[in-house]
Amino acid sequence: KRRRNASPILIPCSVLGMNREWMVRWNVMTLLHQIGEENAAAGGAVAATAGKLGRAYRQRLGGDLRDHAQALGHDSVESLLQFLFDDRIQAEYGIETFVEPQHGNLVVTTNLTRQQARGFSSSAGMLQFRPETDEDGYALEGNEKMIHTGMASVRLSSSIGKMPKFTQEPLGAALRVSPFDQAGERYQPGDEFNAFVYSYNLQGDNESPLLVLTAEDPRGKG
């Protein structure tokens, strides 16, 4: 029997993990938009060197791009960044890399203006993940899965300047399904499946962050 209410159904769920490659890719894109500056070598585009991104990754996210490079089979951060932002990603997200001829630095650029870039980074949700570990607590080598800690980093409203401060909040999550089909009956407690981000609301779950997911690509891609 079809529901008459046209509102989507939100089914409570838990975020278990994320693919390491995509986690690092999104992290670097967010940092690029957060710290990148207009660069003459990039034709005036907003850009940041691999070194600057690596330092920001450690300072702001508490991780190390060198560790991620090794885990993903690359011998350097530069090789990792060139892999993360290949022609396919460039076409879809407007992020590309090039070697700056004067000093030989790898530079990552975005096609967004500085104002657009800052707006992108300020609206990005930051969830916490850790490497998957074995029973003794050691990271599993060659494993591309990152485990969600259950927490999200939320920027303090009083935080201003180039080094914003964050607090940790528990993350709520829900799966969005259509009211016009039997999608809600397809999912049972304990089911695990891949999902896409539909929306992120800093105060959507009783004033705590809420991540809404969908089993279908919201961009309409298969």
Side-chain angles (χ1 to χ4, degrees):
K1 194 172 182 178
R2 294 183 180 274
R3 285 165 44 100
R4 295 186 179 182
N5 190 336
S7 299
I9 304 169
L10 294 181
I11 303 174
C13 65
S14 297
V15 177
L16 299 180
M18 184 176 184
N19 173 273
R20 183 193 292 261
E21 176 188 322
W22 274 101
M23 182 201 75
V24 176
R25 181 179 285 118
W26 279 110
N27 284 348
V28 171
M29 281 196 286
T30 299
L31 288 173
L32 171 62
H33 292 129
Q34 194 175 80
I35 67 172
E37 297 292 349
E38 295 174 350
N39 187 307
V46 172
T49 64
K52 185 175 182 180
L53 288 168
R55 291 189 294 273
Y57 208 102
R58 290 191 298 273
Q59 294 168 357
R60 301 182 182 221
L61 303 181
D64 196 323
L65 281 178
R66 293 171 298 184
D67 293 340
H68 290 303
Q70 183 177 18
L72 292 170
H74 298 273
D75 58 7
S76 68
V77 170
E78 287 78 8
S79 173
L80 171 66
L81 293 174
Q82 289 174 317
F83 165 77
L84 292 176
F85 303 108
D86 58 13
D87 291 343
R88 176 177 62 89
I89 298 299
Q90 176 185 340
E92 185 165 357
Y93 296 100
I95 308 291
E96 61 179 304
T97 65
F98 74 95
V99 177
E100 190 267 319
Q102 183 175 359
H103 301 100
N105 295 320
L106 184 80
V107 178
V108 185
T109 73
T110 175
N111 62 3
L112 298 182
T113 65
R114 189 180 187 280
Q115 183 178 1
Q116 291 172 332
R118 294 301 189 266
F120 176 97
S121 66
S122 65
S123 64
M126 300 296 288
L127 312 187
Q128 287 189 345
F129 293 89
R130 62 169 177 79
E132 189 170 19
T133 57
D134 60 21
E135 295 180 354
D136 297 320
Y138 293 100
L140 296 175
E141 293 187 11
N143 193 297
E144 293 194 8
K145 184 178 179 182
M146 302 292 288
I147 304 300
H148 185 231
T149 65
M151 305 296 286
S153 296
V154 178
R155 182 171 179 167
L156 295 173
S157 59
S158 59
S159 176
I160 59 175
K162 293 185 177 181
M163 287 295 291
K165 296 181 180 179
F166 295 84
T167 185
Q168 311 308 316
E169 298 281 353
L171 177 73
L175 179 69
R176 184 183 191 272
V177 298
S178 169
F180 299 113
D181 58 27
Q182 303 301 315
E185 299 178 5
R186 294 204 308 250
Y187 305 104
Q188 303 298 323
D191 285 352
E192 294 185 15
F193 51 90
N194 293 326
F196 300 88
V197 173
Y198 182 83
S199 65
Y200 180 76
N201 189 325
L202 281 174
Q203 297 184 320
D205 185 17
N206 194 25
E207 299 189 355
S208 290
L210 174 65
L211 180 68
V212 177
L213 304 164
T214 173
E216 307 295 332
D217 191 334
R219 301 169 298 174
K221 300 181 180 181

